[in-house]
Amino acid sequence: MWLPTSANGESSGGGGAAGLGLVQRRLHLDATLLGMLLLLSTVGLVVLYSAFGESLVQVERQLIRLAIAFAVMVVLAQFPPLVYRRWAPWVYAASLALLVAVLVAGELGGGARRWLDLGVVRFQPSEFMKIALPLLVAWLLADRELPPGFGRTMLALLLIALPVGLIAVQPDLGTSILVAAAGGSVLFLAGLRWRIMAGLLALLAAAAPMLWYFGMQGYQRQRVLTFLDPERDPLGAGYNIIQSKIAIGSGGLYGKGWLNGTQAHLDFIPERHTDFVFAVLAEEFGFIGVLLVLALYFAVVARGLWIAHHAQDSFGRLLAGGLALTFFVYFFVNIGMVSGLLPVVGLPLPLISFGGSSLVTLLAAFGILMSIHTHRRLWSS
Amino acid sequence: MSLDLLRDKAGESRVVRRRLLVAGIAVLLLMGLLAGRIAMLQVAGYQHYASLSQENRVRIAPAEPTRGLIYDRDGRLLAENVPAFRLTVIPEQVEDMDALLTGLQEIVELSATDIERFRDLRERQRRFQEIPLKLRLSESEVARLAVNRHRFPGVEVKAHLTRFYPYGAIGSHAIGYVGRISEQELRQVDASQYRGSSVIGKSGVERFYEERLHGEMGLVRLETNALGRTLRTLERDPPVPGEDLHLTLDIELQRVAETALGEHSGAVVAIDPRDGAVLALASQPGFDPNLFVTGITLEDFRGLQSQPGTPMFNRALRGRYPPGSVIKPFLGLAAAAHGTVDPDEEFQCNGLYRLPNVSRPWRDWKRGGHGEIDLTQAIAQSCDIYFYDLAYEMGIDAMHEWMTGFGFGRPSGIDLPGELTGVMPSREWKRTNRGEPWYHGETVNTGIGQGYMLATPVQLAASTAMLANAGRPVRPHLVAATEAPGEDSASRLAPAEPLVAPVTLQNPALWEEAIGGMAEVMHGRRGTARAVAEDMPYRMAGKTGTAQVFGLAPDEEYDEDEIPRELRDHALFIAFAPVGAPRIAVAVIAEHGGSGSGTAAPIARQVIDAWLLEQGELPDVAADVGER
C-alpha cells in the first residue's frame, strides 16, 4: 500500500537530479534536509575537535552517536505518517507514565531527578516528550475541523501543561521549555485564536511572580538574577556568561582561526563542549562563521516549514510545522543564552554540542518530518 | 471518518498555511535579533572583548603548600617530606603511545592500575600537559630511565615532595598517615585549599591536626600562549607551609612498648599523670604507613585486610574490653568514700559468695578463699568475694556515679580521631540499651569489672593517672607544641580541659589506702604481681586484671567449652610509678594473654623501667621525693 510510486509532478526542491530523487523515493529521505543536517553535524565535529583540545577520542565518540542518531532517523522516515497518527495517543500516554515513574523512582543526578534506570539502559523520559507531545496535539486537533473550538483548545492546553509541569519539577527547565514549544507551536499553527494567546500571555505574566517565589529553585532564581547582572557573581554563576561573551566578542569579524581560540583552550569557558560550544565556534570562526552557521540553521527551519506547507493533510502540516518550530526554539534559546540574550537554562546546541540522548530525539524528529514529506503522493493517489 | 467528508479541507489548509507564514516571518525576525546580538559582541564590541581576552591569557594555577613535619618529644622526625620521583609523559611529544608504554615496561615496573589511570587522564587532559604515569620510582628505576632517556622523547622524571615515615610501623596508630584525597573528604574540607594538594591526613595525628599540618594554598600566575602552553611565570603568591607538630610521644619508649607486647595483639598506653602527655600509644598489630602515601595498591590493601588481628584497628582508642579486676582500687576507694565499707574492717572470705534468693553461688578465683582480709589486702590479693559483697552493699547507682567520676564510661578526650566510649552500666543505661530492668546479680558482676562494663585502654590510662594524682584529672594529648613556618620557636598548645571533674574526698587519707593496696600488689608478700617487682629500684603501684570475655556481646551466652582457646582471657594491667611522685601511668591489654600478672604486668614494667631508668627520669624523681 505504501510502495513508492513513480515520481510525477516532482515539485520539491532538491529532487531534480535523478540520484537525489532516488534517495527520496527509495529511502524516503529528504535529500535537501539530509544534506543540511550532515553539514551541521560536520561543523559540530570540527568545532568539538578544537573544544576537546585536539583529542580525537571524544570526536570519535560523537561520531558514533551521530551514526546511531542518523540511523534512527532513516528508520523512522520509513513509516508513513498514518502510523504516527495512529500511535500518537499511545506514545503520549506511555511517555507521560514514564515521566511520572521518573519522579517516583528516578535516579538522582546533580540534584535533579531525570533518569530512569532499567538495568540495561539509562534514559531520560523527558526526551520522548519532545516528539510525543507534538504528535498528540497534531492528532487531537487534526481530528476535527480547524481552527479548534474553545473546549478542544483547553483540552490541548491541559495535555501540554501536564508533561511540561512534570519536566519542570525534575527540575529541567531547558527541556520543559522545548517541550512547551513543541506542543505550543502545533496549537499555534492550528489557528489558536489571537485573543486566547493574548490571554495566555497575560496569565503567564501574572503567574511569573508566583513562580519566582514558589515554583523556582534557589539556583534557578540565581540564574535569572545573574542573567540580569552577570557582574554580581563574577567567579560563580556569572562567570560562564562573562567568559562566553569575551570568547564570542574577541572572535571579531573573521575569528581567531580553527584551534586558535584562546578562551576556549585556556579553560576559561566552562562546559565548552556541551552547552557553551557556540562560544568556541564564534571565537574561532568569527562573525562570518556565525552567520554561515545561522544561515544553515535557518535553512533547516525553512525547509521544515516548507515541508509543512506542502504536506497533504492537516495532521502532516501541523506535525511538520511544529517539529520545525521546535528546532528553531532549540538553537535560538541556546545561542541566546550563550550570547547573554537569554538566561542560562541548560540546553545543548543542536547537532553541534557533545552529547547523545538529545541527538537521537533530534534526528528522530527529522525522520518523522522526512516521512511526512516523502509519503505525500501515496495519499493523493 | 464520516465527519471528514463534511470538513472544509481547503479552508483548514488555508488557516494552517497562513499560520506557517506568520511563524516563518517570526523566525526570520528572531534570527535577525540573534545575528544582531552577535554582531554587537563581535563587531561593535570587538575591541573591548579582545582586550579582555588578552587579560585572560594569564592563567592561575594552584601551588601546593608543604605539609608540616611531625617530631617526637626529643625532636626526632616522625613524619617528613622527601622528594620522590614521578614518571610523567607529555602525549604531544609521543609518536606511538602503545610502543612507548611497552618500551617503558621493560625498564620500569608499571601496574595495570598505573596504565589505566594514565589512559583515563590522557583522555581528559590536553595533549601538551604532562600526565603522571607512575608516582614513585625506585632509585634503580630512576637510574635506568636516565640511561635510556634518548629512547623516550616526552617522558620525564620529576621530583615531588612526598610524605615519608622514617620509623615505619612504629607509632603508626598514633601518628597516622596521609593518602589520596577522596571525593567524600573533599566535601568535608575547604575544597579551594586543596586544589593543588594530592593527599590528606587519613588517621591519627595526621588527620586530627590536618588543618594545621596542611598550610595554605598558593597561586602562580602563568602567561600562556594561544594553545595554552605555559610561556613564563608572571607572579607567585607563595603557599604557606603547614605548621610543624611537636608530639609528647617518645618514639624510643614507643618502640619499647611495641616490642614488649611482642606477638600479642593488644595495646599499651603510657601517659604522664602530671599533665596527660601521651608518652607511648601502642596498638598491635601495626602497619607501615608508607604504604598509603601514594595510594595503596589493591594487593597491599588486601594483604593488610587478610592479616590476622586487623592491623588497621586502633585498639588503644577503639578496643573495648571488660576491665576486670583493674577496677578494684577505684571501686574500693569509692565504697570507702561512700561509707559502704570501713577500709580497716576485716572481711571473711571463704571462696564462695551467695546472694539472698539466688541458689547459684559466685566463686572466687582462689579456691578456698583468702581468709580474713581488709581493703588493702583485698586489692593486693584481688579478692573477688570482698568486691562482690562491696558491690552488692553499695548498689549499682552509687557505683555508676563514682566510677563515672573516675572517667569510666566516658571518652578521655584525646586528640586523635575515632575514640570510642566504654560502658559504665546503670539502671538507665540498661533500660535504654537492653530494654530490661537491672538485676542484683549484675551489680555483683560489675563489682569485678565484668558483665556489661567495658573500657578502652586510653580511658583506663587516664583513669589510672587520676588515681596517681589523688583525684586530679588530666586529658590525654599527643601534641605538645606547634611551630609555625618561619618562626624560630615552637609555641605550646594550651592544654585542653579534662572531660572529667576532679574527685575530692572528705577523707583524703583514703587515696593512700587505694594506692597502698596497689603498691602491695607489686611489693607485698601476697601481692598478685610481686614476681614482676623483683629488683625494682623504685616503688610502683599496679593492679592486675583478667577479662573473661572476648568478642561476645554482653547479652550473648557465655559457654566456655564452645570458645576456642585463643579467644579466652585477656590479660590487663594498670600501673603508675614511682609511688609518691608519679611520672608515668600505664594501661596494658594483651589479648588472649592469660593472666594479668603473667603477661600484662611484665610489659608494663618494661615500659616503666625504660622511662624511669633508661630515660633518666628517676634521678629527678628521687630528688623530688627527697624534698618532700
Side-chain angles (χ1 to χ4, degrees):
Chain A
M1 195 179 169
W2 320 113
L3 284 176
T5 54
S6 61
N8 56 346
E10 178 64 71
S11 59
S12 70
L20 291 180
L22 199 70
V23 168
Q24 191 143 331
R25 274 175 285 123
R26 294 277 177 209
L27 291 174
H28 290 286
L29 299 177
D30 179 45
T32 316
L33 203 49
L34 180 65
M36 293 186 292
L37 294 175
L38 285 174
L39 211 54
L40 273 170
S41 312
T42 311
V43 170
L45 291 174
V46 168
V47 176
L48 282 181
Y49 180 68
S50 176
F52 273 117
E54 301 170 45
S55 158
L56 266 180
V57 185
Q58 305 286 2
V59 175
E60 277 165 20
R61 215 174 268 182
Q62 177 78 350
L63 199 60
I64 293 168
R65 288 171 175 172
L66 276 170
I68 294 170
F70 271 99
V72 168
M73 180 186 84
V74 171
V75 170
L76 289 187
Q78 309 312 308
F79 299 101
L82 190 62
V83 172
Y84 292 113
R85 192 171 182 173
R86 267 187 201 146
W87 283 93
W90 305 108
V91 173
Y92 175 83
S95 304
L96 201 64
L98 285 173
L99 277 180
V100 174
V102 167
L103 282 189
V104 178
E107 289 242 314
L108 268 178
R113 226 175 254 284
R114 297 175 185 174
W115 299 89
L116 211 54
D117 197 343
L118 292 187
V120 203
V121 277
R122 245 163 55 95
F123 63 96
Q124 253 174 299
S126 55
E127 284 295 330
F128 293 154
M129 259 310 162
K130 288 185 193 164
I131 290 178
L133 187 58
L135 272 178
L136 179 89
V137 180
W139 167 80
L140 178 77
L141 299 181
D143 199 34
R144 298 284 170 84
E145 210 159 326
L146 295 178
F150 183 76
R152 201 155 273 256
T153 304
M154 286 302 134
L155 181 60
L157 281 174
L158 177 74
L159 292 172
I160 293 170
L162 270 174
V164 170
L166 283 173
I167 297 167
V169 298
Q170 283 184 355
D172 186 349
L173 206 54
T175 306
S176 73
I177 286 174
L178 270 197
V179 171
S185 57
V186 173
L187 196 54
F188 169 79
L189 292 176
L192 179 66
R193 306 255 180 263
W194 294 105
R195 241 179 306 160
I196 299 181
M197 278 178 66
L200 283 173
L201 283 177
L203 202 71
L204 210 66
M210 302 272 283
L211 194 71
W212 175 265
Y213 287 111
F214 303 111
M216 283 175 120
Q217 307 269 342
Y219 81 96
Q220 290 169 331
R221 261 177 243 161
Q222 192 64 37
R223 274 180 180 174
V224 175
L225 287 176
T226 309
F227 162 67
L228 295 172
D229 179 15
E231 304 293 336
R232 59 180 267 126
D233 185 12
L235 280 175
Y239 181 83
N240 297 12
I241 300 172
I242 294 170
Q243 291 300 338
S244 96
K245 274 160 74 178
I246 293 176
I248 297 171
S250 67
L253 200 54
Y254 304 105
K256 296 174 182 170
W258 188 45
L259 306 179
N260 286 328
T262 55
Q263 298 309 108
H265 286 276
L266 298 187
D267 280 334
F268 287 111
I269 300 181
E271 303 179 58
R272 61 182 179 278
H273 44 268
T274 56
D275 292 4
F276 281 82
V277 76
F278 180 80
V280 179
L281 187 151
E283 187 187 8
E284 299 192 347
F285 300 102
F287 191 52
I288 306 287
V290 169
L291 282 185
L292 284 173
V293 170
L294 282 183
L296 257 178
Y297 273 128
F298 178 72
V300 171
V301 177
R303 179 69 181 172
L305 293 176
W306 187 90
I307 287 174
H309 190 263
H310 288 83
Q312 281 177 326
D313 65 343
S314 295
F315 176 75
R317 271 191 289 273
L318 292 179
L319 185 56
L323 293 175
L325 289 179
T326 310
F327 180 74
F328 168 72
V329 171
Y330 208 148
F331 73 78
F332 180 81
V333 170
N334 177 276
I335 298 177
M337 90 185 180
V338 173
S339 61
L341 200 62
L342 297 171
V344 176
V345 289
L347 268 188
L349 184 60
L351 293 167
I352 294 185
S353 281
F354 184 73
S357 56
S358 68
L359 204 57
V360 171
T361 334
L362 190 71
L363 285 171
F366 282 113
I368 294 172
L369 241 173
M370 289 182 179
S371 147
I372 291 168
H373 189 54
T374 55
H375 290 87
R376 264 178 315 152
R377 276 171 305 283
L378 306 171
W379 291 76
S380 55
S381 57
Chain B
M1 290 301 253
S2 59
L3 257 174
D4 240 27
L5 296 171
L6 299 171
R7 286 168 66 175
D8 173 11
K9 296 215 170 165
E12 273 183 25
S13 152
R14 230 184 352 264
V15 167
V16 179
R17 284 180 176 151
R18 207 183 299 135
R19 283 294 168 96
L20 280 168
L21 193 67
V22 173
I25 292 168
V27 165
L28 205 58
L29 287 175
L30 288 169
M31 291 294 300
L33 180 68
L34 267 193
R37 171 68 187 172
I38 308 292
M40 216 174 94
L41 295 174
Q42 295 198 304
V43 182
Y46 173 67
Q47 291 301 333
H48 172 64
Y49 288 112
S51 66
L52 284 180
S53 155
Q54 284 298 320
E55 282 173 32
N56 261 349
R57 285 200 179 189
V58 178
R59 180 177 185 154
I60 301 168
E64 183 177 7
T66 312
R67 197 172 175 85
L69 306 177
I70 302 176
Y71 299 94
D72 87 338
R73 66 160 47 216
D74 276 353
R76 287 173 286 229
L77 258 179
L78 305 181
E80 57 180 312
N81 304 310
V82 297
F85 292 99
R86 293 183 168 185
L87 183 62
T88 65
V89 178
I90 301 171
E92 194 182 45
Q93 296 171 16
V94 178
E95 270 179 37
D96 184 345
M97 187 61 79
D98 289 330
L100 176 90
L101 290 177
T102 319
L104 276 175
Q105 264 166 320
E106 291 166 13
I107 303 182
V108 182
E109 198 184 315
L110 292 175
S111 70
T113 328
D114 288 332
I115 292 178
E116 198 179 305
R117 188 164 51 207
F118 175 76
R119 288 193 196 280
D120 190 44
L121 284 172
R122 193 185 154 204
E123 269 190 27
R124 284 188 272 140
Q125 289 191 3
R126 302 302 168 73
R127 289 170 50 75
F128 48 79
Q129 282 177 333
E130 56 178 38
I131 301 168
L133 176 58
K134 187 171 179 168
L135 290 184
R136 186 176 271 182
L137 296 168
S138 70
E139 272 178 45
S140 63
E141 282 174 332
V142 173
R144 266 176 280 158
L145 279 165
V147 173
N148 290 284
R149 163 155 286 174
H150 62 281
R151 282 176 55 199
F152 306 112
V155 173
E156 279 192 65
V157 174
K158 296 217 157 175
H160 185 269
L161 283 182
T162 307
R163 202 64 154 171
F164 177 64
Y165 303 97
Y167 287 88
I170 298 172
S172 55
H173 280 289
I175 302 163
Y177 61 92
V178 298
R180 284 169 179 272
I181 308 172
S182 70
E183 291 282 322
Q184 198 191 344
E185 283 162 333
L186 213 49
R187 264 180 258 131
Q188 286 161 0
V189 295
D190 178 2
S192 67
Q193 283 295 322
Y194 281 80
R195 274 196 190 127
S197 307
S198 49
V199 299
I200 192 169
K202 296 274 186 183
S203 79
V205 166
E206 287 272 31
R207 171 148 165 216
F208 198 88
Y209 290 94
E210 170 64 28
E211 253 176 70
R212 285 172 178 275
L213 286 165
H214 180 263
E216 282 170 42
M217 188 186 80
L219 294 173
V220 183
R221 278 167 223 282
L222 303 166
E223 188 183 289
T224 55
N225 72 1
L227 291 176
R229 290 190 189 95
T230 304
L231 297 178
R232 65 195 172 107
T233 304
L234 296 174
E235 201 185 327
R236 236 177 238 284
D237 183 0
V240 179
E243 294 174 37
D244 295 345
L245 298 184
H246 293 269
L247 301 192
T248 57
L249 197 78
D250 186 294
I251 198 68
E252 288 309 324
L253 189 69
Q254 177 77 24
R255 192 199 297 273
V256 169
E258 289 181 17
T259 312
L261 265 171
E263 294 299 305
H264 292 291
S265 56
V268 176
V269 177
I271 64 181
D272 187 329
R274 291 170 298 178
D275 58 2
V278 175
L279 307 173
L281 186 137
S283 172
Q284 292 273 76
F287 58 91
D288 182 357
N290 290 308
L291 289 176
F292 293 86
V293 174
T294 50
I296 189 165
T297 63
L298 199 60
E299 208 178 313
D300 284 340
F301 191 69
R302 288 219 180 105
L304 272 179
Q305 294 290 54
S306 63
Q307 259 182 53
T310 53
M312 300 304 295
F313 181 64
N314 191 339
R315 291 171 161 75
L317 256 62
R318 299 173 66 82
R320 306 204 290 177
Y321 306 86
S325 300
V326 302
I327 68 153
K328 284 173 182 169
F330 300 94
L331 206 52
L333 181 65
H338 191 65
T340 309
V341 294
D342 175 353
D344 298 326
E345 195 182 321
E346 296 277 322
F347 178 88
Q348 186 63 41
C349 165
N350 61 7
L352 281 183
Y353 178 75
R354 288 181 193 280
L355 268 184
N357 305 323
V358 178
S359 57
R360 188 178 64 88
W362 274 262
R363 292 174 193 284
D364 195 277
W365 63 269
K366 187 175 177 183
R367 205 170 278 259
H370 299 273
E372 287 212 333
I373 50 170
D374 61 3
L375 176 60
T376 307
Q377 280 308 310
I379 293 171
Q381 300 179 36
S382 203
C383 173
D384 290 338
I385 308 297
Y386 186 96
F387 283 93
Y388 290 144
D389 187 55
L390 177 154
Y392 178 68
E393 295 292 333
M394 191 176 181
I396 188 64
D397 297 320
M399 273 164 69
H400 175 79
E401 197 188 325
W402 277 92
M403 294 302 276
T404 307
F406 289 122
F408 285 90
R410 298 168 71 172
S412 75
I414 191 173
D415 50 350
L416 286 177
E419 183 189 3
L420 288 183
T421 306
V423 176
M424 182 61 224
S426 65
R427 289 177 205 278
E428 200 198 328
W429 174 89
K430 197 182 173 197
R431 208 179 309 115
T432 47
N433 288 278
R434 297 271 178 270
E436 285 172 31
W438 186 264
Y439 300 112
H440 282 315
E442 292 164 344
T443 309
V444 172
N445 284 338
T446 310
I448 59 159
Q450 301 285 349
Y452 299 115
M453 204 174 165
L454 294 172
T456 66
V458 69
Q459 177 260 311
L460 266 185
S463 297
T464 306
M466 213 171 154
L467 205 56
N469 289 337
R472 186 174 60 83
V474 289
R475 182 160 177 169
H477 60 270
L478 270 157
V479 172
T482 63
E483 195 173 335
E487 281 173 28
D488 289 339
S489 60
S491 56
R492 290 200 84 75
L493 274 190
E497 282 297 307
L499 299 182
V500 186
V503 173
T504 45
L505 303 182
Q506 279 183 328
N507 176 12
L510 289 176
W511 291 109
E512 300 307 322
E513 291 280 345
I515 293 169
M518 286 174 75
E520 280 289 295
V521 169
M522 309 305 302
H523 307 288
R525 206 158 43 83
R526 309 170 91 168
T528 50
R530 62 186 181 278
V532 180
E534 251 175 64
D535 307 326
M536 197 179 269
Y538 52 89
R539 273 178 74 78
M540 172 171 158
K543 182 69 195 83
T544 54
T546 305
Q548 293 170 337
V549 195
F550 173 71
L552 280 176
D555 54 345
E556 279 179 275
E557 276 297 317
Y558 183 88
D559 185 345
E560 205 171 293
D561 296 334
E562 277 184 18
I563 294 181
R565 176 85 200 144
E566 71 270 17
L567 292 185
R568 288 184 207 156
D569 292 9
H570 294 331
L572 285 92
F573 192 71
I574 59 167
F576 60 88
V579 176
R583 288 287 188 271
I584 181 170
V586 179
V588 176
I589 282 164
E591 292 178 359
H592 331 305
S595 74
S597 57
T599 315
I603 294 170
R605 175 160 185 195
Q606 286 184 56
V607 172
I608 295 175
D609 271 358
W611 188 241
L612 295 184
L613 306 179
E614 287 162 35
Q615 299 290 317
E617 284 274 332
L618 196 54
D620 292 355
V621 172
D624 280 0
V625 175
E627 282 167 23
R628 281 195 166 191

